[in-house]
Amino acid sequence: MRRRWVAVVLGALLTGCSTGPSLENQSAVTAAPGDSHRLTIGSAGFTESDLLAQMYALLLNQAGYRTSLLTVANRELYEPALESGQIDVVPEYAATFADWLNAKTNGADATPVGSPDLAATMKALRRLATPRGLTVLDAGRAVDQNAFAVSAAYARQHDLKTLSDLGASGLKVRLAAGDECVQRPYCEPGLRKTYGIDITGVDPKGVGTTQAKRAVQSGQDQMVLTTTTDATLTDFGLVILTDDKHLQNADYVVPVVNRSRAGSEGVTKALDKLNDVLTTTDLASMNQQVDSWRRLAKDVARTYLEEKRLLK
């Protein structure tokens, strides 16, 4: 019954948020910033997103907000929920989110706006987010990127060090990733176009999940989509192939908020506290504590904030 109740509630949420505010209704999406004191923090369901969401919740709680957390597995579902105000805050990645909003606004064939240049990427991202009622807060120091890993044995057998090596090898590759990988320009389409990799199919096991990494470890799949802050790859005997043609942009962590509910100075000040302390290395370390040491994300997040003196 409990599982069924959760499914019904989540289904109702996602059904209700299938469309965001109309872009024609400019007055609604550019209204003055709101300050709801009950905020829903969204997570995309992988370890790092969970950790960031937990840190956001703890910082907002300390600032006087009451928060709840909701996991929604992919951007195609949680972004409309963010627009509609059913989710108020999510951790995002600047270049990836900019390109996603650009494709949503201007079509799948739109020229990408994300780049290794953070300033240019943030400018484009804010331009796309504002008409949708979203505010993109400042990026900090932490940056994450998609990465593709194979088993160390597979890499040795075929003399693979880079994604170019894999493309040149002509090997057929089944990729363990999120189901959205088949459409994302920096996933299957990019691997085909930039590197000539023969992707035979996407095994929808998620981004960097234990299930996905085990599929590559066992040989069921040949490659897994993970991130550069994944600290558990060696536990599964996996190695990252270098992105030698720079398919991936530098993705800085940025909080994105629903302007009408969480666009206040109070929310911004609370979340900005992470900017001066959180680094890519910190994220990798926290990921390892959750994924390898089996600590709870909430406990790891709290300990980190206390160590950095961001929580009283």
Side-chain angles (χ1 to χ4, degrees):
M1 285 295 294
R2 182 174 181 271
R3 181 179 295 176
R4 182 180 177 188
W5 179 83
V6 171
V8 169
V9 171
L10 185 56
L13 168 67
L14 298 182
T15 299
C17 70
S18 60
T19 57
S22 168
L23 291 182
E24 286 78 21
N25 191 357
Q26 295 294 320
S27 61
V29 296
T30 58
D35 194 21
S36 172
H37 281 268
R38 292 177 180 268
L39 299 175
T40 299
I41 315 300
S43 165
F46 57 94
T47 297
E48 188 169 293
S49 187
D50 289 343
L51 283 163
L52 290 164
Q54 291 285 357
M55 286 191 285
Y56 290 0
L58 289 166
L59 290 170
L60 288 167
N61 288 343
Q62 180 172 255
Y65 295 89
R66 295 183 64 180
T67 64
S68 59
L69 274 71
L70 179 68
T71 298
V72 182
N74 63 55
R75 193 175 283 112
E76 284 78 2
L77 297 177
Y78 72 68
E79 189 277 333
L82 183 62
E83 287 188 29
S84 68
Q86 291 169 300
I87 293 175
D88 303 304
V89 184
V90 294
E92 262 294 355
Y93 300 90
T96 296
F97 196 43
D99 283 335
W100 194 87
L101 285 181
N102 187 41
K104 182 176 180 179
T105 303
N106 299 311
D109 295 329
T111 302
V113 294
S115 76
D117 185 331
L118 177 61
T121 297
M122 289 292 288
K123 182 178 180 180
L125 174 55
R126 284 170 166 154
R127 184 180 67 248
L128 291 159
T130 298
R132 295 184 176 275
L134 307 179
T135 296
V136 181
L137 305 188
D138 288 342
R141 299 160 59 194
V143 60
D144 196 355
Q145 291 175 291
N146 288 335
F148 296 92
V150 300
S151 73
Y154 184 82
R156 286 194 300 272
Q157 179 184 356
H158 299 289
D159 194 22
L160 305 176
K161 294 182 176 62
T162 68
L163 289 172
S164 286
D165 292 338
L166 181 57
S169 73
L171 292 165
K172 296 184 181 300
V173 175
R174 183 170 165 85
L175 175 63
D179 53 8
E180 67 275 11
C181 177
V182 297
Q183 296 178 328
R184 297 276 172 84
Y186 300 117
C187 201
E188 181 184 353
L191 291 173
R192 289 180 181 277
K193 181 177 179 180
T194 302
Y195 289 107
I197 297 173
D198 186 0
I199 305 293
T200 61
V202 172
D203 190 2
K205 286 183 164 60
V207 179
T209 63
T210 296
Q211 184 184 22
K213 284 179 274 196
R214 283 179 176 163
V216 175
Q217 183 183 39
S218 69
Q220 176 184 344
D221 298 329
Q222 287 71 52
M223 188 161 67
V224 59
L225 169 61
T226 184
T227 67
T228 53
T229 57
D230 187 336
T232 69
L233 292 176
T234 56
D235 297 343
F236 296 89
L238 305 181
V239 293
I240 289 175
L241 296 181
T242 301
D243 178 21
D244 54 307
K245 293 184 179 178
H246 307 290
L247 174 63
Q248 307 299 326
N249 289 320
D251 267 321
Y252 286 79
V253 174
V254 291
V256 182
V257 305
N258 177 285
R259 178 181 173 86
S260 66
R261 290 183 49 81
S264 69
E265 186 178 356
V267 170
T268 299
K269 283 185 175 180
L271 298 182
D272 274 354
K273 291 181 179 180
L274 271 180
N275 287 357
D276 292 334
V277 297
L278 184 64
T279 66
T280 305
T281 301
D282 293 341
L283 278 179
S285 174
M286 286 189 281
N287 287 337
Q288 182 180 39
Q289 291 176 58
V290 174
D291 291 336
S292 294
W293 305 353
R294 297 294 183 255
R295 294 188 62 194
L296 295 176
K298 184 175 183 178
D299 294 338
V300 173
R302 179 178 290 278
T303 298
Y304 176 79
L305 294 178
E306 288 175 346
E307 289 176 349
K308 298 298 182 179
R309 298 183 180 180
L310 296 184
L311 286 185
K312 297 178 182 178

